[in-house]
Amino acid sequence: RARRRPAAEAVAVPPLSPRLQVVRAALLATSVLSVALVAHLVVVSSLQHRAAQQQAYDAFRAQLAAGTAPVGPTDVEGRVLPLGAPVALLEIPAIGLRQVVGEGTTPGVLYGGPGHRRDSPLPGQAGTSVVMGRRGAFGGPFARLDELDAGDAISITTGQGSFEYRVTGTREEGDPAPAPADAD
């Protein structure tokens, strides 16, 4: 009669060599770090963005009520606005956007929401105001900008008042830049 061997004796797997153990550990560490990075970008950064926006909204609302919201590149005491200081409330109903715009476009400012480029006029002032923001990570406030159509409203509230603009057209990457705006 044939005797059956236990399953452990059926297949003997040789131990991994030290080199393969290092490779396996490196692949495992890379996989864990990749999953952690994606989780941070998708979940944690979105929560950080939401908290930063709430704090900025509370601060900006208080400044508007007190009449101390910025109306230029300096604060009420004549100092240059600090990075991240709230300068405007940007609303685009067509895409459900409502974001406080911070001063500056450094990565730290853009983690919390859109940022105003310091070398351009504040939103609502004469000239071309540049507001930058992320499309993907950290809340992705500008993720849906490509859905705007001609005629959609864009509202800006600053220390100088509320302003409404209309989208006149869109352009894709590689399209020629539009002609500069008229001086008036």
Side-chain angles (χ1 to χ4, degrees), residues 3-171:
R3 228 176 115 207
R4 296 191 135 226
R5 287 193 263 174
E9 294 178 2
V11 179
V13 178
L16 291 176
S17 68
R19 182 175 180 208
L20 287 178
Q21 288 178 358
V22 169
V23 169
R24 180 176 65 177
L27 288 174
L28 180 62
T30 302
S31 298
V32 168
L33 288 174
S34 296
V35 168
L37 176 64
V38 169
H40 183 276
L41 286 175
V42 173
V43 178
V44 176
S45 70
S46 181
L47 294 173
Q48 290 173 326
H49 170 83
R50 190 173 306 156
Q53 276 294 299
Q54 186 61 51
Q55 289 174 341
Y57 181 75
D58 292 344
F60 190 59
R61 186 176 60 189
Q63 290 174 354
L64 287 173
T68 59
V71 294
T74 58
D75 63 13
V76 293
E77 296 172 1
R79 296 180 303 231
V80 174
L81 292 175
L83 288 173
V87 295
L89 177 64
L90 172 66
E91 297 177 282
I92 308 176
I95 59 173
L97 179 84
R98 183 176 188 201
Q99 295 281 306
V100 175
V101 178
E103 181 64 7
T105 55
T106 64
V109 173
L110 296 181
Y111 290 156
H116 165 253
R117 204 166 95 181
R118 287 182 175 257
D119 64 347
S120 70
L122 285 177
Q125 294 181 342
T128 302
S129 179
V130 178
V131 176
M132 301 171 82
R134 297 180 183 271
R135 289 184 60 111
F138 302 99
F142 289 167
R144 296 181 56 203
L145 277 184
D146 58 342
E147 296 175 24
L148 290 175
D149 293 317
D152 287 342
I154 298 174
S155 299
I156 296 280
T157 301
T158 69
Q160 292 179 304
S162 294
F163 306 90
E164 186 166 308
Y165 301 92
R166 296 276 173 193
V167 175
T168 58
T170 60
R171 81 183 166 108

